[in-house]
Amino acid sequence: MKHLTVALQKVAIQTDSDWWLEWIDLIGPVLGALLFAFVIAAFVIVFFIPMLERADWIASGDEQDAIEILRELYARGEIDEEEFERRESFLRNRER
């Protein structure tokens, strides 16, 4: 009977000292899921947001800036009046 009592005490001590292993078993998957979510979020931030910003910038296509640049080219004499009017007409028609 004494051996049984000692054996039960050892099991109780071992179980009490390994309580943290149960927490690791619970916390491990949670930390893994958080790490996975962090990696996905970082991927989106690094790759997709800059792509969307570039797409918005390209899609906005500020025609007024293009016309101003065209006027500067004409004012510097880099294009003649006919070329200016042709390009300006193209830009204004593209707005519609």
Side-chain angles (χ1 to χ4, degrees), residues 34-87:
L34 289 174
L35 179 64
F36 181 74
F38 176 76
V39 168
I40 295 298
F43 182 79
V44 167
I45 289 170
V46 169
F47 291 106
F48 287 116
I49 291 178
M51 284 175 37
L52 292 175
E53 288 175 354
R54 276 195 306 257
D56 289 343
W57 177 75
I58 292 170
S60 70
D62 197 358
E63 284 83 12
Q64 191 59 35
D65 286 340
I67 292 175
E68 288 176 17
I69 292 170
L70 190 60
R71 287 182 181 144
E72 289 176 13
L73 291 172
Y74 179 68
R76 288 190 298 231
E78 295 180 21
I79 57 173
D80 60 2
E81 185 176 356
E82 181 182 325
E83 181 70 15
F84 172 79
E85 290 173 358
R86 185 180 68 78
R87 291 184 182 186

Side-chain angles (χ1 to χ4, degrees), residues 4-6 12 18 23 37-38 40 44 49-51 59 81 88 93:
L4 182 59
T5 307
V6 172
D18 292 339
W23 282 101
F38 176 76
I40 295 298
V44 167
I49 291 178
M51 284 175 37
E81 185 176 356
E88 183 182 33
N93 289 335

